[in-house]
Amino acid sequence: MSSIQKARPLSPHLQIYSPQLTSMLSVIHRGTGVFLSFGSVAIVIWLGALAQGPDAYVQFQSLLAHPLSKLVLLGWCFSLCYHLCNGIRHLFWDVGAGLELSQVYRSGVVMLVTSFALTAAIVFFAVQKTGGLL
Amino acid sequence: MSLRSPLAKAVGLGSAKHGFSHWWWQRVTAIALVPLSVWFVYSVLTVMGMDHQYASDWLAQPFNATVLILFVLTMLFHAQTGIQVVIEDYIHTKWLNLTLLLAVKFAAVLMAVMSVISVLKVVLGG
């Protein structure tokens, strides 16, 4: 590539804009999606341990009992709630609904509150079920 | 001067229609994942903290095994679709881009087969 081509101006990119709710929610949607993809590995390991037998399953469960694992599980829990709620928001946009700027901001806030509430509800049930988060 | 129209130069060269197919299947799997992932979270809450016997009995029920396989396959397809776009957007080194795209596809297929085999083993009481 010649030096003239290299010096060509770049169009404004992410770092030039001040953060807005809309752009942040979009970035987080991608982030949670990527993070959730790593969770698929955990699901495969879970099913593998289940098929392997009781010993492997106990081992898997003790791995999950580690506080760090619980933190990751909490992260996956929130990511799933967020990606699910925001994904539904995207599906509405795909059929052309709710695209006015005021509607986009309103649905963004509603989505955020809903995903936090869902996360809290799931954690509540999980704690009740297993008798203690950590 | 060429008498060939710009269209003639473009036809058959680009990713015409493939882009739509990718976008479409991302939406199809997304819609399927709405009920499937709700079911999955509910199931994890049911099975978590229980022993191997309980979990196997739960998975051995045909309905649970069916929906779990559907969830895992749909989720893996949706995930690799999304990861592909992220790689295409941010990894600009040609060889790394291609390597990661292939690795993600292979990993998704590998995980799909492993999951199905595991579920079938529990269902068929191996």
Side-chain angles (χ1 to χ4, degrees):
Chain A
M1 196 186 279
S2 75
S3 57
I4 298 171
Q5 276 178 314
K6 266 184 191 165
R8 288 170 68 184
L10 284 168
S11 59
H13 203 52
L14 277 179
Q15 62 268 23
I16 215 152
Y17 295 108
S18 64
Q20 303 152 348
L21 182 73
T22 42
S23 60
M24 285 303 113
L25 295 183
S26 172
V27 168
I28 297 170
H29 191 71
R30 275 206 163 177
T32 51
V34 172
F35 186 54
L36 283 169
S37 301
F38 289 106
S40 62
V41 179
I43 294 174
V44 175
I45 294 174
W46 169 51
L47 293 175
L50 191 55
Q52 197 78 355
D55 293 343
Y57 201 66
V58 167
Q59 224 174 356
F60 175 76
Q61 282 183 315
S62 63
L63 199 72
L64 276 190
H66 194 278
L68 215 61
S69 309
K70 297 206 167 163
L71 192 66
V72 175
L73 277 175
L74 179 65
W76 279 329
C77 180
F78 172 74
S79 295
L80 182 63
C81 294
Y82 182 98
H83 204 83
L84 179 66
C85 293
N86 203 39
I88 291 170
R89 190 163 160 250
H90 270 275
L91 288 172
F92 274 102
W93 291 338
D94 288 337
V95 293
L99 284 168
E100 289 299 324
L101 197 56
S102 60
Q103 294 175 309
V104 170
Y105 270 90
R106 204 180 322 133
S107 66
V109 173
V110 169
M111 179 278 294
L112 209 52
V113 171
T114 310
S115 45
F116 275 115
L118 276 177
T119 309
I122 293 169
V123 170
F124 176 75
F125 284 117
V127 170
Q128 275 213 324
K129 187 81 199 289
T130 55
L133 188 62
L134 290 173
Chain B
M1 197 190 96
S2 171
L3 291 174
R4 279 163 66 85
S5 71
L7 178 65
K9 282 183 194 164
V11 165
L13 288 177
S15 58
K17 296 189 184 72
H18 291 296
F20 174 73
S21 169
H22 184 277
W23 181 90
W24 175 249
W25 283 105
Q26 192 172 34
R27 312 299 133 153
V28 171
T29 49
I31 292 167
L33 280 170
V34 173
L36 286 174
S37 53
V38 170
W39 174 86
F40 179 73
V41 170
Y42 172 77
S43 302
V44 167
L45 284 174
T46 312
V47 178
M48 78 184 296
M50 308 302 267
D51 62 0
H52 180 263
Q53 187 62 50
Y54 183 94
S56 333
D57 288 348
W58 174 84
L59 187 57
Q61 289 169 28
F63 178 82
N64 292 336
T66 304
V67 185
L68 188 71
I69 288 179
L70 282 177
F71 167 74
V72 171
L73 295 185
T74 313
M75 178 270 290
L76 284 171
F77 190 90
H78 186 80
Q80 64 89 20
T81 319
I83 297 274
Q84 181 191 332
V85 178
V86 173
I87 292 170
E88 285 168 349
D89 280 355
Y90 303 125
I91 312 291
H92 301 305
T93 315
K94 189 80 183 166
W95 68 269
L96 186 60
N97 180 296
L98 188 61
T99 308
L100 285 175
L101 284 177
L102 284 173
V104 166
K105 306 278 172 203
F106 289 157
V109 174
L110 177 71
M111 289 198 283
V113 175
M114 282 172 77
S115 307
V116 172
I117 299 272
S118 297
V119 173
L120 288 182
K121 185 169 181 240
V122 173
V123 171
L124 304 173

